[in-house]
Amino acid sequence: MALLGMRPPTEEERSTLLEQIGPLPLRGMAWPVWIKATAWVVLVLIAIQIVRTATSPMGRNIDPWVAGSILLCFLALTLVVRFMTTSETQITHKGIEQSWITRREVAWEDIQFAKFIPLLTSKRLICFTSRGRPVVFQAGTRELQIAFARIALVYKRR
């Protein structure tokens, strides 16, 4: 990738950005409430279907390995939904952090380029660093979404 030729914002530009964002730390939920509620509803519907199938005559004919793998997948999905529900994004003077299955964090000095992606389901900030793969953060609140848009403007390709 051609990230090597890009220059990050100056310390002054970064200070101005942090002033524009507002009092730090700025923290909020990583996922919008309607997405979290939808995820739980889908999870409950899947659970109901699993129970209905397991208690039906057809459920007795299911191979135990298939049933076990379906339950394992359901448990993994439950874990993902739980982390979606509790995940929080935080912008500090040091950088951006998000709690998730594994903690996501990037320091301001490490960001070479940032792109704001306003999807229907979540507003995302993709931070490209000089160390390797990009780090993706979600914004579930309006304040975080505005901050992400400002960060992307300052860290645009130059």
Side-chain angles (χ1 to χ4, degrees), residues 33-154:
V33 173
W34 72 273
I35 290 292
K36 293 187 286 189
T38 302
W40 281 110
V41 167
V42 168
L43 194 66
V44 167
L45 292 174
I46 292 170
I48 290 169
Q49 188 60 40
I50 289 172
V51 169
R52 286 180 62 202
T53 303
T55 58
S56 73
M58 192 172 69
R60 291 180 186 82
N61 298 329
I62 295 177
D63 184 287
W65 288 102
V66 172
S69 59
I70 289 171
L71 286 177
L72 187 63
C73 288
F74 178 75
L75 291 175
L77 186 60
T78 302
L79 184 68
V80 169
V81 171
R82 183 212 170 265
F83 276 104
M84 279 180 70
T85 303
T86 60
S87 182
E88 187 175 77
T89 302
Q90 176 174 267
I91 300 173
T92 66
H93 289 287
K94 293 179 185 178
I96 308 169
E97 305 170 3
Q98 183 176 327
S99 58
W100 189 237
I101 296 170
T102 59
R103 187 165 192 77
R104 297 176 184 174
E105 55 188 7
V106 66
W108 293 116
E109 300 81 35
D110 294 338
I111 302 174
Q112 296 294 312
F113 167 61
K115 179 105 174 129
F116 179 60
I117 310 291
L119 300 174
L120 175 64
T121 55
S122 75
K123 311 303 185 226
R124 297 177 182 183
L125 181 70
I126 302 174
C127 297
F128 297 88
T129 66
S130 56
R131 289 193 218 163
R133 60 181 235 194
V135 183
V136 180
F137 299 98
Q138 276 84 349
T141 65
R142 181 124 176 93
E143 295 80 17
L144 281 172
Q145 293 169 12
I146 292 169
F148 279 9
R150 287 184 172 152
I151 292 167
L153 284 174
V154 172

